Amino acid sequence: IILSINKLGGGVLVEHGWSSIVCAKNVGKNFMFHQNCTIGYNHGGKPSIGDNVCVYAGAVIAGDIEIGNNVKIGANCVVLKDVPDDSVCYGNPCVIKKC
């Protein structure tokens, strides 16, 4: 696991974090991620992640984007755009569904 976060909220849970990289501007509280996740730079920017976010195995979150609060990023999903609060993301390219 490689972590490089400017501001980190409390309550981080790593579930089998092998081969994961988390490089973000901010990560809110109650953040959970699984194995082989890549969170980081794309076109010179890195993401901000809200509270109560779960990133499942193999997901990619890249670029100067905002991931809202109460979001679930599905396994192997590739997220290159903003995700609003209370959403579920899946697929490549990313499909966003409001809950």
Side-chain angles (χ1 to χ4, degrees):
I1 300 172
I2 297 173
L3 296 174
S4 174
I5 302 167
N6 295 355
K7 184 178 177 188
L8 178 63
V12 174
L13 176 62
V14 180
E15 290 279 337
H16 309 290
W18 299 286
S19 300
S20 291
I21 297 171
V22 179
C23 181
K25 283 189 247 180
N26 306 301
V27 174
K29 61 185 178 188
N30 302 322
F31 175 62
M32 181 171 73
F33 66 95
H34 294 260
Q35 67 268 22
N36 202 32
C37 293
T38 302
I39 300 171
Y41 286 96
N42 189 23
H43 300 291
K46 55 186 178 177
S48 290
I49 299 173
D51 296 336
N52 307 312
V53 173
C54 183
V55 182
Y56 289 95
V60 174
I61 301 170
D64 186 16
I65 61 174
E66 300 282 333
I67 306 298
N69 298 316
N70 308 310
V71 170
K72 294 192 184 312
I73 309 289
N76 299 310
C77 182
V78 176
V79 182
L80 302 175
K81 58 187 175 184
D82 292 344
V83 178
D85 292 347
D86 306 309
S87 297
V88 174
C89 302
Y90 60 90
N92 180 8
C94 175
V95 175
I96 300 170
K97 296 290 183 182
K98 285 284 281 174
C99 297

